[in-house]
Amino acid sequence: MEERKRALVFDLNSSGKYFAFKEQLKQSVVKIVREKFFKTTAFQTDEELHQFLSELYVFLIGEMHKGVSGLFSLQNNTTPLPSPLDVKSLIHFAREAELNQNYELAARYYQERLAMDQASSDAWFDYGTFSLLVGNVSKAGECFRECLAIDQKCVSGLIMYGLVCILEERHEVAETFFEDATCVEPSNFVAWTVLGLFYDSRDNDIGAEMAFLEANKHHKAEGSSIFLASADQLLNLHAYNLVESALSHELLSSPKTLSQEYYLLLGKLHMATGELMEAENYVRQATVLNHTNPAAWALLGHIQYLGNEMAGARDHYERTLSYEEPAPDTHSIRLRLASIYLQLQQYAAAKNMFLLACRDSPSCITWLGVGISCYRLGELKESEQALSEANILNNTDPEVWGYLSLVCLKTSRKLEAEQSYKYAVRVGLKDEDLLNEIKNTQREVGFGDAGF
């Protein structure tokens, strides 16, 4: 540790960075002395000077601690520094990480977005819904409180904080927030539906009937009930107990005329809660009602993908993409289909599918997929270009560094191979197959690990 400290000090002094930094700070300190301590004249005695310097030191250290605490206060003192990515990219990358069930990476993107703008109610709200997804109810509550502190009229924030209160069995508080949501936006049918569902769960039949009447009054969409329309929106927010309640009311209100939308929502709900067999059964019922709906086949593909039935998932995804009418969230379909092609060693198909995903929504994951596909095809130059693109978007992805090391090993670049491998390990490469492949290749070429 001491050696690293000496090396850092030497580098700062020899490069001139220390002098430049000191000069930059000097102006700020002079400004503080004048404006905070009102000191503009010379000191009369050394004792007076030392006393002033002591007070200034304490003040500056205090300000430094405030700044550091502000940077690292979101969660376990590990909040990242502001990201060079824009908000739209951070949202997209977070959703993509969720799709791949890489929740640690998704959390990092949500935290980077908050570091960029802690006064954004939307950023707090999205982090709250993500926290519900991963089962962290207390963190979700904290995020929704922050959201509402910034925007007291955020209807979705009021509804979701009410949901958290239900999960924590604080029903009276939940009722207050659900009622507030209907007062803030009286024309919001979802707010009225949720209030009705809550009243019904508390055996308040009169209140429930009144709330459902108001919801129907403000629900304009044809062909979809307040329960289905509300369930669709709440499902995206991971409010699964409210979705289940809404679908139960749909079943009771029209048991003989259940629509495809009902079965698809029921399938999504069971998929989200990990009940894949039940989810598949419901979606297959939906395909009986309409076998030309690409959304149904896409959902079947997702269910089988999560169940590790890759051949079936591939067939359903390919069928989905064959329709002229695009399925919702084509990006997720392409990503998963491309990853299946990789697993089945259909590398040319994987490359083409990842490139389509890159064209519409480039990310570290899509470029990594292109890089892996090209590497397996022996296209080392194209692989390195794709991996470099991935690295620009996320320079802490261990797989990217791992495959860069393989490319460097294959192209006889000793120093770069060693550095890439070292960094892959440092940022947490855990893929045993990839690690073994790198080590075997290192032994074949005789370099790539400082231990050789």
Side-chain angles (χ1 to χ4, degrees):
M1 190 69 181
E2 282 298 314
E3 185 177 342
R4 290 173 66 188
K5 182 179 178 182
R6 284 196 298 272
L8 173 62
V9 172
F10 175 80
D11 180 71
L12 288 173
N13 281 303
S14 60
S15 65
K17 292 175 184 175
Y18 176 79
F19 177 79
F21 187 53
K22 184 176 71 172
E23 289 302 304
Q24 184 180 354
L25 278 178
K26 186 187 294 183
Q27 299 302 318
S28 299
V29 173
V30 169
K31 187 176 180 182
I32 289 171
V33 170
R34 288 174 176 167
E35 296 180 2
K36 298 288 184 181
F37 291 84
F38 308 104
K39 188 65 180 173
T40 56
T41 58
F43 296 97
Q44 301 299 317
T45 64
D46 288 344
E47 183 178 350
E48 185 182 349
L49 171 62
H50 290 310
Q51 177 64 29
F52 173 78
L53 290 177
S54 176
E55 293 173 2
L56 178 62
Y57 176 81
V58 171
F59 176 80
L60 291 175
I61 290 294
E63 290 300 299
M64 181 189 72
H65 286 157
K66 287 180 186 177
V68 171
S69 297
L71 284 173
F72 299 95
S73 63
L74 275 179
Q75 185 180 24
N76 299 326
N77 295 336
T78 57
T79 301
L81 292 172
S83 171
L85 300 169
D86 58 27
V87 170
K88 184 179 179 181
S89 295
L90 288 171
I91 294 171
H92 172 64
F93 294 165
R95 299 279 191 261
E96 203 173 59
E98 286 179 25
L99 180 71
N100 286 348
Q101 297 181 311
N102 188 343
Y103 298 129
E104 184 178 344
L105 179 60
R108 199 187 94 190
Y109 285 128
Y110 283 115
Q111 290 164 7
E112 286 185 14
R113 184 180 167 199
L114 279 169
M116 184 182 292
D117 184 7
Q118 291 200 18
S120 167
S121 61
D122 288 341
W124 282 109
F125 180 83
D126 288 346
Y127 193 23
T129 59
F130 167 75
S131 299
L132 278 182
L133 171 66
V134 297
N136 191 341
V137 176
S138 62
K139 171 58 70 176
E142 176 188 332
C143 292
F144 294 135
R145 284 196 301 272
E146 291 287 347
C147 168
L148 292 170
I150 297 166
D151 180 6
Q152 293 84 2
K153 294 186 177 181
C154 176
V155 174
S156 297
L158 291 166
I159 291 172
M160 295 307 291
Y161 188 68
L163 168 66
V164 168
C165 293
I166 289 178
L167 296 174
E168 294 175 340
E169 298 186 352
R170 295 187 291 135
H171 299 289
E172 290 184 4
V173 180
E175 182 175 1
T176 299
F177 279 87
F178 290 147
E179 289 177 346
D180 283 352
T182 63
C183 293
V184 167
E185 194 174 322
S187 62
N188 189 309
F189 76 90
V190 176
W192 283 111
T193 303
V194 168
L195 181 60
L197 295 173
F198 173 79
Y199 282 149
D200 185 73
S201 71
R202 307 303 292 169
D203 295 326
N204 183 348
D205 296 336
I206 296 175
E209 184 178 356
M210 176 275 297
F212 292 146
L213 283 172
E214 284 294 322
N216 277 303
K217 184 193 302 183
H218 300 292
H219 181 51
K220 307 299 182 185
E222 295 180 6
S224 180
S225 69
I226 58 169
F227 301 117
L228 292 179
S230 296
D232 186 39
Q233 292 190 32
L234 294 168
L235 194 57
N236 294 325
L237 303 178
H238 315 302
Y240 301 138
N241 57 341
L242 290 176
V243 173
E244 184 177 10
S245 180
L247 293 177
S248 296
H249 277 76
E250 176 69 13
L251 177 63
L252 292 172
S253 62
S254 54
K256 295 181 180 179
T257 56
L258 292 172
S259 64
Q260 185 187 52
E261 184 184 6
Y262 168 79
Y263 287 112
L264 289 178
L265 287 170
L266 206 52
K268 288 180 182 179
L269 174 62
H270 283 279
M271 181 180 72
T273 54
E275 300 164 304
L276 299 181
M277 188 177 295
E278 293 87 345
E280 183 169 345
N281 289 335
Y282 287 123
V283 178
R284 289 199 181 278
Q285 290 183 61
T287 61
V288 171
L289 294 174
N290 180 4
H291 68 278
T292 62
N293 183 355
W297 297 109
L299 188 52
L300 267 181
H302 291 326
I303 292 166
Q304 295 195 329
Y305 180 90
L306 294 173
N308 208 32
E309 299 176 42
M310 295 306 170
R314 177 195 59 190
D315 293 343
H316 291 313
Y317 287 146
E318 288 176 342
R319 178 169 182 167
T320 302
L321 294 175
S322 70
Y323 286 101
E324 289 185 13
E325 177 190 350
D329 196 10
T330 302
H331 183 70
S332 66
I333 297 166
R334 286 175 175 160
L335 267 188
R336 286 181 166 174
L337 180 56
S339 71
I340 291 171
Y341 286 148
L342 272 185
Q343 292 181 47
L344 299 178
Q345 299 183 9
Q346 297 175 252
Y347 300 126
K351 175 185 173 182
N352 290 334
M353 194 57 62
F354 276 124
L355 281 171
L356 283 173
C358 285
R359 182 193 67 188
D360 295 338
S361 303
S363 67
C364 175
I365 291 172
T366 59
W367 281 117
L368 171 60
V370 175
I372 295 172
S373 304
C374 290
Y375 178 79
R376 298 302 176 199
L377 290 167
E379 301 169 353
L380 299 183
K381 183 179 179 181
E382 292 87 345
S383 175
E384 184 171 2
Q385 289 173 344
L387 293 169
S388 298
E389 291 289 339
N391 215 354
I392 291 170
L393 295 170
N394 179 7
N395 64 2
T396 61
D397 188 294
E399 274 194 81
V400 173
W401 287 107
Y403 277 98
L404 277 171
S405 181
L406 280 174
V407 170
C408 293
L409 289 169
K410 292 288 188 179
T411 52
S412 302
R413 288 142 64 194
K414 180 179 178 181
L415 180 60
E416 291 168 88
E418 287 183 2
Q419 289 176 335
S420 298
Y421 173 65
K422 187 186 299 183
Y423 206 73
V425 174
R426 185 184 300 170
V427 295
L429 181 59
K430 296 182 177 67
D431 186 325
E432 289 296 329
D433 291 336
L434 180 54
L435 279 169
N436 289 333
E437 184 176 2
I438 293 172
K439 290 174 182 176
N440 289 336
T441 309
Q442 288 170 345
R443 281 190 284 269
E444 287 174 15
V445 300
F447 63 84
D449 186 344
F452 286 133

